[in-house]
Amino acid sequence: MQFDKAKLAAFYRDALGDISLDALDMSRMPAHVSIIMDGNGRWAQARGLERSQGHLAGVASLRETVTTAVRLGLDVLSVYAFSTENWNRSQKEVTFLMQLFAETLLNELPLFHQEQVKLRFFGDLEALPQKTQETFKQGLAETANNTGMVFALAVNYGARAELARAAALLAAEAKAGSIDPASIGPADVEKYLYTAGLPDPDLLIRTSGELRLSNYLLWQIAYSEMYVTPTLWPDFTRWDFLRALVAFQARERRFGGVAS
């Protein structure tokens, strides 16, 4: 983890009454924070707006969240952007989101270069519209040599589909005789997950107050700490992120063990 103390202090200079940067122990930061971004539709509905306006507002929150993660020196930030179940939404909303993903990525590439962010995706991108696929591939290629934080977007992602895919690939290896089925262990499964090579999330944040995992990273979050906030995603700020991290540091992680 690397962070610029001066930039971080400036980023959090306007302390709020209930929280400040002083509450955070920079020596005990999570390596990987993952976020289930939820509440765009409800945010828009509460304001009498179209759902698309909520998604647009959510982009601004995502931009601030990426910047916050970079300032804090996180190694990995991942976010749940579009699930395998989200295809069941109206065609109008799905089309809008696919266009928004592509446009947003192009708009944010200068920020990724400036902050040395390396892009990654979780999910089956081949099912996406061609233009969205091409834009994602462009983002991957243009950030491939960046040396800073990994920013992963889960798009057309579902944990059950991911595990089924890993099982199918392992079965193909076994059929080809390159692996003994009796020897298959967790490490063999993990090499076929979309998160291969990344640390599991230390902290999973969910906005909008919903208490469910929504088919997200079910393997990887086996021992993640969870933080749920009632804040809707478009209202999520650097201060909400800070509150989540302070709450994380107040917990004792046991990984199935007992307190000493």
Side-chain angles (χ1 to χ4, degrees), residues 41-57:
R42 275 167 283 174
W43 184 92
Q45 184 179 27
R47 290 160 176 77
L49 302 172
E50 295 286 337
R51 288 178 63 85
S52 59
Q53 295 302 308
H55 295 312
L56 286 169

Side-chain angles (χ1 to χ4, degrees), residues 37-42 51-52 55 80-97 101 206 212 214:
M37 306 180 293
D38 193 18
N40 290 350
R42 275 167 283 174
R51 288 178 63 85
S52 59
H55 295 312
Y80 202 9
F82 190 88
S83 75
T84 49
E85 291 74 33
N86 286 156
W87 294 107
N88 294 323
R89 295 184 179 185
S90 72
Q91 185 59 52
K92 177 181 178 182
E93 182 174 4
V94 169
T95 299
F96 177 83
L97 284 169
F101 292 155
R206 178 155 192 160
R212 59 177 179 270
S214 297

Side-chain angles (χ1 to χ4, degrees), residues 220-260:
Q220 296 88 339
I221 62 171
Y223 286 103
S224 301
E225 296 295 324
M226 294 184 64
Y227 178 87
V228 178
T229 173
T231 302
L232 301 177
W233 177 247
D235 292 326
F236 190 84
T237 68
R238 65 192 74 180
W239 299 103
D240 295 294
F241 205 153
L242 183 59
R243 291 185 187 95
L245 293 172
V246 171
F248 167 81
Q249 292 185 346
R251 300 178 188 178
E252 180 181 7
R253 303 189 73 192
R254 300 181 185 178
F255 301 95
V258 296
S260 58

